[in-house]
Amino acid sequence: IKKSISSQEVLIEVKSLPTTNMPKNFTGLVGSHEFILSQASQKFLVNEPIEIKLEVKGNGLLETYAGPSIYTHHDLDDFDTKSEFVELPDSSAKKTFEYTYLGRGPLEIKPRVLELYHFNPDKEAYVLTKIPLAGLIIDGMAQKSRNQQTLPPLTSEKNNNSARSVFQNFTLLAPLFTGSSFSSLGQVSNIYKLL
């Protein structure tokens, strides 16, 4: 037995987000949302990984939400942020972001508040969420390579004498070409010293 069931047409009104008062830090999320940020420590050494976790729960379109920037500094490398999306039984969802930073030199970032906005359709207003961020202190110095040497510049007459003293013990071997009259390296006589 086949039955056809139909219902009356349901009209859905789609409203545009108000653009006149749209805040700069609007996340693009519509609905009620909760932000939880966790950071194990605020003191690190140079080249030590800094891991930060942000959980966002709510009924908005979290699948496409990219997440906010947590820390920015010229001596702080920001690696690809990992994210995981999970649907919850109450028709909401949770998205977890795992940030990884690496300090390339000593720095200090003061504690601050990260301000994010989402849109509340019931109130038809943008709602502010304040997330406290701990400060970030990185101690130590960037290590130079063992093979890296600093030589004096060769830009002036004054520096030429010191450059000669650095290179006076180096010898240069002239290249051997095909058809050369020398048959072995023991017979090579054109070895020059850099003066």
Side-chain angles (χ1 to χ4, degrees), residues 164-182:
R164 283 194 186 106
S165 65
V166 170
F167 289 108
Q168 68 183 359
N169 294 328
F170 288 94
T171 57
L172 298 177
L173 177 63
L176 296 177
F177 299 98
T178 306
S180 172
S181 60
F182 302 109

Side-chain angles (χ1 to χ4, degrees), residues 40-155:
S41 176
Q42 65 181 46
K43 291 185 178 180
F44 298 89
L45 296 174
V46 170
N47 293 329
E48 181 182 359
I50 302 163
E51 296 177 347
I52 299 169
K53 185 177 177 181
L54 175 67
E55 284 185 1
V56 185
K57 296 179 183 178
N59 51 11
L61 193 62
L62 285 173
E63 296 97 321
T64 59
Y65 181 51
S69 176
I70 304 297
Y71 290 114
T72 55
H73 192 279
H74 63 273
D75 279 334
L76 199 61
D77 287 345
D78 181 7
F79 293 92
D80 288 338
T81 302
K82 297 178 183 177
S83 62
E84 181 183 5
F85 174 79
V86 177
E87 290 185 5
L88 301 176
D90 60 352
S91 299
S92 64
K94 177 178 77 171
K95 194 165 189 178
T96 305
F97 298 93
E98 293 181 358
Y99 299 85
T100 304
Y101 296 94
L102 202 64
R104 294 300 185 187
L107 63 90
E108 181 176 357
I109 299 175
K110 300 290 184 185
R112 65 184 179 95
V113 174
L114 179 62
E115 296 185 346
L116 301 175
Y117 288 85
H118 61 275
F119 186 76
N120 186 324
D122 297 328
K123 296 180 180 179
E124 295 188 358
Y126 293 98
V127 178
L128 171 64
T129 299
K130 293 183 178 181
I131 305 172
L133 295 180
L136 195 61
I137 299 172
I138 298 178
D139 288 327
M141 296 182 63
Q143 294 181 354
K144 293 183 179 179
S145 171
R146 291 180 180 177
N147 298 328
Q148 188 178 8
Q149 296 178 358
T150 305
L151 298 176
L154 302 174
T155 55

